[in-house]
């Protein structure tokens, strides 16, 4: 504010003057309306000068002249100002420049009317304070309520002294404008009260409320607290196994560093030393509690730096450790998935064989074979061998075959469950389970029916996965087995129905119309829901294009009807 | 593998109809039958070689069946206030649909 006075005063000053001129004054409790009018006249005389953009000196000159004209008017008007808080403030702001000159007559008038003179002097002093700093508005505001009450002279006295202390600083900072008397008077008043802080605030208006002396104490206490807390968090960091603890620990370090850095250069040097010693993280902590006992500010800063370094290193180390097992778990999960895919591809690659076997074993063995092959499809590592075992053992011991696929499916269920719960936990739980399960399936089995069933199981597994996806809920392994059985039965029914429909139509080739009939029979396709609607709903775009006839360019429809 | 990749893999598997599997199953079940008309379709615009219209519909049928079954079993599980779908839930659903 003090810096921008020459520029900013003109604009707000003019605005305030306009406001004051236009606004009606409050009815004064005291018979000083005339004085207020006189004061306003003075303001008006001064305002055009301000509007012309003259400097403060010119305004002061003008105010000097005005002052000479009506000193008493000033005093009386100022007395009138006292009654109205906002108005007084605004006028004080407006009259910052001339106030300095007005101080002279006021000082002259002061001794004459004791209470009244004191008030205008206070007002002027408050104006001066306002002129300097915006935060100084509070003193005038504090003045105003006191002023409004007519009977509180003592309060005003104290405030006036306070203000005069500010004015003393103001007068000292400002070059005298012929205010020797005023300054002397203010100084005389200031002598009674010592205001050491005020000149500091005047010199640094922006920091009026922040005595710098406070910092050292706060920093010391703060660092001591930091030191105390620095001992605690490392334990938490080390004990916590989640990687997300890092930012929690890191943020207080950042906060601690921020107040430390701006202090002095010595701090930076200490921090640099602390950073250098970060490699010896644990050692720093031992040093940190010992050092602050010796020194105060400097050591406190060192402690802070060391604590920062230690905490950062510890967090980093712990974070790395924590991340590693997660990575391992993820890698293992990947391996499993890859192996699973590989086993499936192997089984499919071996190809379908022996339709005769299918006809023989269709009854119950198919189920076990399906289970076994499915279980092998999911197994990783010795999946092929286990599949062979399952396929060969189906006739011999369906029970054992069912047991092994169940165990294998347990593994697969673990894999299915991995995405749902925390991957780390699931992986850790499935890791020990799977190697145990792998050893279970017996080896002495032929590889005959395996290729036949494996692709069947692979395809079924596809639908089983669809089932688990649609269910949106975790499922048991046995439930998945049930799903496979149901799918098998369904396929059978499907084929039978298609056969019947095709035969009814006199064809040997199943056509889409048969399928539509089947779906209608199932209730999927109704008069409201047509086949095309279902196709659009459930199938991807490529299939939809193939299934639903669309007209293309060249007067062609695809697929042809 | 991250969760996202697992889910995306599943989705890809889902979208693709295991046509070979379907054809194989059909042939296994009813070797005397042939699946359907596909020749003229294959020659057409789309690069879907070996894809058959019928299998698409069959696949749709299976999809719908699985969907219904899953919904029903999920309803059963929720009815029994279980967080996990059990075997009996699936069985009940199957019995309900198949009779």
């Amino acid at each position: 504010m003090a810096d921008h006075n020459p520029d900013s005063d003109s604009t707000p000053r003019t605005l305030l003057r306009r406001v004051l001129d236009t606004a009606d004054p409050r009815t004064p409790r005291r018979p000083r309306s005339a004085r207020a009018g006189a004061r306003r006249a003075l303001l008006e005389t001064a305002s055009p000068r301000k509007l012309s953009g003259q400097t403060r000196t010119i305004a002061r000159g003008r105010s000097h002249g005005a002052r000479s004209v009506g000193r008493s008017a000033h005093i009386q008007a100022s007395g009138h100002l006292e009654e109205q808080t906002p108005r007084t403030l605004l006028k004080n702001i407006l009259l910052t420049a001339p106030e300095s000159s007005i101080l002279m007559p006021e000082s002259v008038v002061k001794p004459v009317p004791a209470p009244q003179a004191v008030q205008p002097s206070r007002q002027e002093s408050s104006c001066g304070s306002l002129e300097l700093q915006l935060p100084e508005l509070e003193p005038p505001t504090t003045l105003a309520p006191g002023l409004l009450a007519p009977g509180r002279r003592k309060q005003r006295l104290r405030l006036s002294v306070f203000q005069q202390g500010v004015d003393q600083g103001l007068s000292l900072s400002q070059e005298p404008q012929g205010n020797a008397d005023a300054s002397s008077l203010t100084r005389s008043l200031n002598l009674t009260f010592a205001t050491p802080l005020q000149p500091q605030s005047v010199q640094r208006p922006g920091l009026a409320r922040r005595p710098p002396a406070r910092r050292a104490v706060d920093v010391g206490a703060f660092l001591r607290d930091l030191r105390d807390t620095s001992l605690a968090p490392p334990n938490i960091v080390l004990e916590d196994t989640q990687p997300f603890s890092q930012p929690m620990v890191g943020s207080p370090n950042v906060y601690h560093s921020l107040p430390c850095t701006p202090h002095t250069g010595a701090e930076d040097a200490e921090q640099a030393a602390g950073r250098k010693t970060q490699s010896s993280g644990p050692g720093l902590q031992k040093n940190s509690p010992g050092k602050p006992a010796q020194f105060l500010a400097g050591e406190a800063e060192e402690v802070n730096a060391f604590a920062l370094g230690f905490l950062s290193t510890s967090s980093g180390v712990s974070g790395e450790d924590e991340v590693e097992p997660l990575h391992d778990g993820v890698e293992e999960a990947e391996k499993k998935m890859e192996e699973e895919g590989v086993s499936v591809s192997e089984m499919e690659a071996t190809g379908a064989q022996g339709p005769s076997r299918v006809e023989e074993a269709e009854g119950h063995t198919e189920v076990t074979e399906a289970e076994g092959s499915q279980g092998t499809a999911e197994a990783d590592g010795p999946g092929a061998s286990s599949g062979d075992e399952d396929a060969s053992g189906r006739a011999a011991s369906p029970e054992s075959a069912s047991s092994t696929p169940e165990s294998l499916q347990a593994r697969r269920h673990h894999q299915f469950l991995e995405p749902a719960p925390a991957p780390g936990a699931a992986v850790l739980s499935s890791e020990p389970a799977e190697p145990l399960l792998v050893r279970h399936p017996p080896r002495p089995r032929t590889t005959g029916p395996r290729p036949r069933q494996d692709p069947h199981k692979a395809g079924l597994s596809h639908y089983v996965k669809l089932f688990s996806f649609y269910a949106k809920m975790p499922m048991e392994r046995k439930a998945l087995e049930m799903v496979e059985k149901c799918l098998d039965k369904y396929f059978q029914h499907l084929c039978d129905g298609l056969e019947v429909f095709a035969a009814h139509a006199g064809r040997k080739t199943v056509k889409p119309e048969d399928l539509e009939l089947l779906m209608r029979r199932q209730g999927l396709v109704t008069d409201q829901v047509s086949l095309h609607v279902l196709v659009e709903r459930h199938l991807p775009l490529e299939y939809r294009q193939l299934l639903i006839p669309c007209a293309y360019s060249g007067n062609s429809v695809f697929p042809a009807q | 593998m991250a969760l996202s990749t697992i889910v995306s893999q599943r989705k890809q598997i889902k979208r693709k109809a295991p046509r070979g599997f379907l054809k194989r199953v059909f042939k296994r079940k009813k070797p005397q039958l042939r699946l359907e008309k596909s020749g003229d379709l294959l020659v057409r615009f789309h690069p879907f070689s070996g894809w058959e219209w019928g299998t698409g519909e069959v696949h749709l049928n299976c999809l719908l069946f699985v969907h219904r079954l899953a919904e029903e079993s999920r309803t059963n599980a929720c009815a029994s206030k279980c967080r996990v779908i059990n075997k009996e839930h699936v069985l009940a659903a199957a019995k309900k649909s198949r009779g």
Side-chain angles (χ1 to χ4, degrees):
Chain A
M1 187 68 179
D3 299 334
H4 300 281
N5 276 335
D7 299 330
S8 61
D9 283 347
S10 59
T11 320
R13 186 181 299 272
T14 55
L15 292 170
L16 290 168
R17 278 179 184 164
R18 285 168 195 162
V19 168
L20 286 171
D21 297 338
T22 54
D24 294 333
R26 296 184 196 173
T27 58
R29 300 185 196 118
R30 303 171 188 170
R32 294 178 187 174
S33 57
R35 296 165 195 164
R39 189 176 180 84
R40 233 171 285 121
L42 279 169
L43 293 170
E44 287 170 358
T45 54
S47 60
R49 290 297 173 184
K50 279 294 177 183
L51 287 169
S52 64
Q54 291 180 353
T55 61
R56 198 187 298 172
T57 56
I58 297 169
R60 289 173 201 143
R62 175 64 53 181
S63 62
H64 276 290
R67 165 172 54 95
S68 62
V69 170
R71 297 174 184 176
S72 61
H74 283 292
I75 297 153
Q76 293 162 355
S78 63
H80 171 68
L81 284 173
E82 294 164 4
E83 298 173 353
Q84 302 168 1
T85 310
R87 185 169 293 279
T88 57
L89 293 171
L90 294 173
K91 285 182 179 175
N92 292 336
I93 292 167
L94 286 174
L95 298 169
T96 51
E99 283 165 2
S100 57
S101 57
I102 290 166
L103 279 170
M104 287 196 62
E106 289 175 354
S107 62
V108 170
V109 180
K110 270 177 191 175
V112 175
Q116 295 179 0
V118 172
Q119 293 169 9
S121 66
R122 279 179 235 122
Q123 277 303 315
E124 300 308 307
S125 62
S126 66
C127 302
S129 66
L130 285 169
E131 175 185 12
L132 277 179
Q133 307 152 19
L134 284 174
E136 292 293 318
L137 278 169
E138 283 194 5
T141 54
T142 55
L143 269 171
L147 292 168
L148 284 171
R152 299 178 188 175
R153 307 295 181 186
K154 293 183 182 178
Q155 291 180 1
R156 287 172 188 169
L157 273 170
R158 294 182 213 132
L159 292 165
S160 67
V161 169
F162 177 76
Q163 288 302 318
Q164 283 154 13
V166 177
D167 292 338
Q168 187 184 12
L170 166 63
S171 60
L172 289 170
S173 62
Q174 284 185 1
E175 289 302 322
Q177 303 158 356
N179 303 333
D181 300 341
S183 59
S184 63
L185 186 64
T186 53
R187 284 167 206 155
S188 63
L189 288 170
N190 287 328
L191 286 168
T192 58
F193 294 86
T195 57
L197 290 176
Q198 292 305 323
Q200 291 180 7
S201 61
V202 169
Q203 289 166 7
R204 281 187 274 176
L207 304 172
R209 304 254 166 69
R210 299 182 191 175
R214 265 185 244 150
R215 282 187 189 177
V217 178
D218 289 346
V219 164
F222 184 68
L223 291 170
R224 285 186 206 103
D225 294 338
L226 170 64
R227 176 170 32 90
D228 299 334
T229 55
S230 66
L231 299 171
N235 302 330
I236 296 167
V237 168
L238 292 171
E239 290 169 357
D240 191 15
T241 57
Q242 294 297 328
F244 301 103
S245 63
Q246 291 179 33
M248 300 301 292
V249 178
S251 55
N253 298 336
V254 172
Y255 293 143
H256 297 331
S257 64
L258 284 175
C260 287
T261 47
H263 288 328
T264 52
E267 296 177 16
D268 298 335
E270 289 167 351
Q271 282 180 354
R275 285 162 201 156
K276 287 174 188 173
T277 56
Q278 272 178 9
S279 56
S280 65
L284 294 173
Q285 191 188 10
K286 297 168 190 174
N287 296 333
S288 59
K291 282 192 180 180
Q294 306 169 6
F295 302 93
L296 269 179
E299 287 303 330
E301 295 155 359
E302 279 183 358
V303 168
N304 195 2
F306 289 144
L308 286 171
F310 173 79
L311 284 168
S312 61
T313 51
S314 64
S315 63
V317 168
S318 59
E320 291 170 359
D321 294 334
E322 294 151 7
V323 168
E324 285 172 1
L326 284 177
H327 282 315
D328 295 337
V330 168
E331 289 172 357
E332 287 163 349
E334 292 178 0
K335 287 175 191 170
K336 283 175 207 155
M337 298 305 294
E338 290 171 359
E339 288 169 348
E340 178 182 349
V342 165
S343 63
V344 168
S345 62
E346 285 174 356
M347 289 151 197
E348 287 181 344
T350 50
Q353 295 178 6
S356 60
R357 289 186 188 178
V358 177
E359 292 162 1
E360 294 171 359
E362 267 212 1
H364 66 284
T365 54
E366 192 177 23
V367 175
T368 58
E369 284 170 352
E371 293 176 358
S373 60
Q374 185 175 14
T376 57
E378 304 304 328
D380 50 326
S385 58
S386 60
D388 296 339
E389 296 153 4
D390 294 335
S392 60
R394 74 189 188 284
S397 57
E399 298 172 359
S400 63
S402 60
S403 65
T404 50
E406 282 177 4
S407 62
L408 292 169
Q409 282 175 7
R411 214 181 316 164
R412 180 182 52 136
H413 188 60
H414 279 298
Q415 291 173 358
F416 272 112
L417 286 175
E418 275 173 12
V427 165
L428 291 170
S429 63
S430 58
E431 282 174 9
E434 293 203 357
L436 295 171
L437 294 170
V438 167
R439 295 165 207 155
H440 287 320
R443 299 300 174 123
R445 292 197 182 168
T446 61
T447 64
R450 193 239 337 193
R452 178 177 60 110
Q453 284 306 322
D454 295 336
H456 183 74
K457 292 313 294 183
L460 273 183
S461 67
H462 174 248
Y463 286 109
V464 172
K465 285 179 191 174
L466 277 175
F467 182 91
S468 59
F469 173 77
Y470 278 132
K472 290 183 174 51
M473 280 173 60
M475 298 185 58
E476 289 184 351
R477 302 180 289 274
K478 297 185 180 178
L480 293 171
E481 289 178 37
M482 283 300 306
V483 170
E484 288 173 20
K485 290 180 192 172
C486 296
L487 272 175
D488 268 341
K489 289 183 192 172
Y490 168 74
F491 278 129
Q492 277 201 342
H493 287 290
L494 184 75
C495 292
D496 295 337
L498 287 176
E499 188 181 2
V500 167
F501 286 132
H504 179 78
R507 288 180 271 107
K508 288 195 179 174
T509 308
V510 179
K511 288 211 170 169
E513 295 86 22
D514 304 329
L515 271 167
E516 185 167 353
L517 257 180
L518 181 76
M519 294 176 77
R520 187 173 282 275
R521 184 173 174 277
Q522 284 182 347
L524 294 168
V525 177
T526 64
D527 295 335
Q528 283 75 31
V529 180
S530 79
L531 182 66
H532 291 184
V533 169
L534 290 173
V535 167
E536 283 178 6
R537 265 188 222 163
H538 297 276
L539 290 185
L541 180 65
E542 293 78 17
Y543 294 166
R544 194 197 330 175
Q545 287 172 355
L546 292 170
L547 282 173
I548 298 174
C550 268
Y552 289 87
S553 67
N555 193 25
S556 62
V557 177
F558 181 83
Q561 293 192 348
Chain B
M1 204 177 289
L3 281 169
S4 60
T5 55
I6 288 175
V7 173
S8 64
Q9 247 192 6
R10 280 187 179 174
K11 286 202 193 280
Q12 286 180 3
I13 291 172
K14 224 180 3 145
R15 296 302 173 227
K16 251 182 63 178
R19 311 195 315 262
F21 165 72
L22 290 174
K23 189 111 195 251
R24 203 177 299 116
V25 167
F26 190 79
K27 281 232 183 307
R28 216 188 316 160
K29 294 284 189 341
K30 309 285 173 193
Q32 67 274 16
L33 286 178
R34 276 178 289 179
L35 195 49
E36 40 260 58
K37 48 181 283 187
S38 57
D40 53 346
L41 297 175
L42 298 174
V43 182
R44 281 300 189 117
F45 307 86
H46 299 267
F48 282 85
S49 62
W51 188 86
E52 292 145 1
W53 189 4
T55 54
E57 294 210 356
V58 174
H59 174 63
L60 175 67
N61 214 340
C62 301
L63 267 180
L64 290 168
F65 165 75
V66 167
H67 196 62
R68 280 187 300 161
L69 193 67
E71 287 290 333
E72 189 58 38
S73 50
R74 183 152 67 110
T75 309
N76 292 345
C78 292
S80 63
K81 299 255 192 267
C82 296
R83 295 264 314 163
V84 184
I85 293 178
N86 279 333
K87 204 171 169 182
E88 44 270 17
H89 301 146
V90 178
L91 260 178
K95 287 301 158 196
K96 188 176 166 185
S97 67
R98 287 281 138 205

